[in-house]
Amino acid sequence: MRIDVVSIFPTIFDALEVSLLGKARQTGLLDVRVHDLREFTHDRHRTVDDTPYGGGAGMVMKPEPWGEALDAIVGDADPRPVIVFPSPAGERFTQSIARELSAAPHLVFGCGRYEGIDERVFDYAAEHGDVRLLSLGDYVLNGGEVAVMAMVEAIGRLVPGVVGNPESLVEESHEDGLLEYPSYTKPSVWRDREVPPVLLSGNHGAVASWRREQQLERTRARRPDLLAD
Ligand code: ADE
């Protein structure tokens, strides 16, 4: 899978060089290319933002550098990439969207800053790819970078081969619409706290139904909205 990221803070993405995603890049499973939006400016100050038409607080990202970046990265690529703009005003990013995007051969992420990107950039991008505005959650970050880090990790680990044991991807929170069951390891007693005896019983059926019950109980307590869905 090819992943392009456009940002005015490209070094934030150095963190993608470590751990499982770093290894996947080394082995060629993920081809991640990070681009500095300022490379697509032409003035002395490498300006990427300006005041909003109609007034208001804050600055808006200018369309020209974005247009040039998209031309250079996407062009008339075939197949058309999915172009993701993280935004608190976007559709909620979920595990099922992560799974859907993990099957795309080419993803482009455009990280906005300030009050956002000139709206015409989204229309232009839609002529060259399938545009998705995605929100990490109902809160506001200073820019898209941290959201893109989270999305690239959530998507990248679902690309076949990135996580060594694919079975570990099956029994996770959100894979079946429920939160994950609790996990324990040795020792069986730690600071007077015991591991639930059923897990030591060797009875696989009893373990499976206990875990299911725990999933439902946790989901009911912490995320009742998931059960309503
Ligand atoms: N940019 C700023 N806040 C964001 C959020 N909650 N999700 C995605 N991108 C963002």
Side-chain angles (χ1 to χ4, degrees), residues 25-73:
R25 291 175 76 177
Q26 278 170 12
T27 59
L29 280 172
L30 297 179
D31 173 10
V32 182
R33 307 178 194 184
V34 182
H35 312 267
D36 184 348
L37 182 68
R38 292 191 199 277
E39 296 293 321
F40 301 96
T41 61
H42 302 287
D43 63 311
R44 206 155 50 88
H45 300 290
R46 312 216 298 164
T47 310
V48 293
D49 62 331
D50 208 333
T51 52
Y53 275 122
M59 301 290 271
V60 176
M61 290 189 114
K62 294 163 64 60
E64 301 96 322
W66 280 107
E68 292 200 22
L70 289 169
D71 290 345
I73 295 161

Side-chain angles (χ1 to χ4, degrees), residues 67-143:
E68 292 200 22
L70 289 169
D71 290 345
I73 295 161
V74 177
D76 292 315
D78 186 33
R80 283 159 62 93
V82 177
I83 307 176
V84 175
F85 292 100
S87 164
E91 168 192 8
R92 175 74 69 88
F93 178 70
T94 60
Q95 185 69 11
S96 91
I97 291 179
R99 195 161 278 289
E100 179 193 335
L101 297 184
S102 71
H106 186 190
L107 300 177
V108 179
F109 291 91
C111 302
R113 280 264 149 185
Y114 314 113
E115 295 306 306
I117 304 174
D118 185 305
E119 192 69 21
R120 292 167 292 182
V121 171
F122 306 119
D123 301 337
Y124 182 74
E127 290 171 11
H128 301 273
D130 300 325
V131 170
R132 304 283 295 261
L133 266 71
L134 298 176
S135 171
L136 217 54
D138 296 340
Y139 44 80
V140 180
L141 305 167
N142 282 334

Side-chain angles (χ1 to χ4, degrees), residues 150-180:
M151 291 178 199
V152 168
E153 178 153 323
I155 295 164
R157 65 196 293 281
L158 297 176
V159 170
V162 171
V163 169
N165 178 3
E167 272 185 33
S168 62
L169 299 176
V170 177
E171 296 200 345
E172 293 183 315
S173 290
H174 303 297
E175 273 302 330
D176 58 0
L178 297 175
L179 302 185
E180 197 175 11

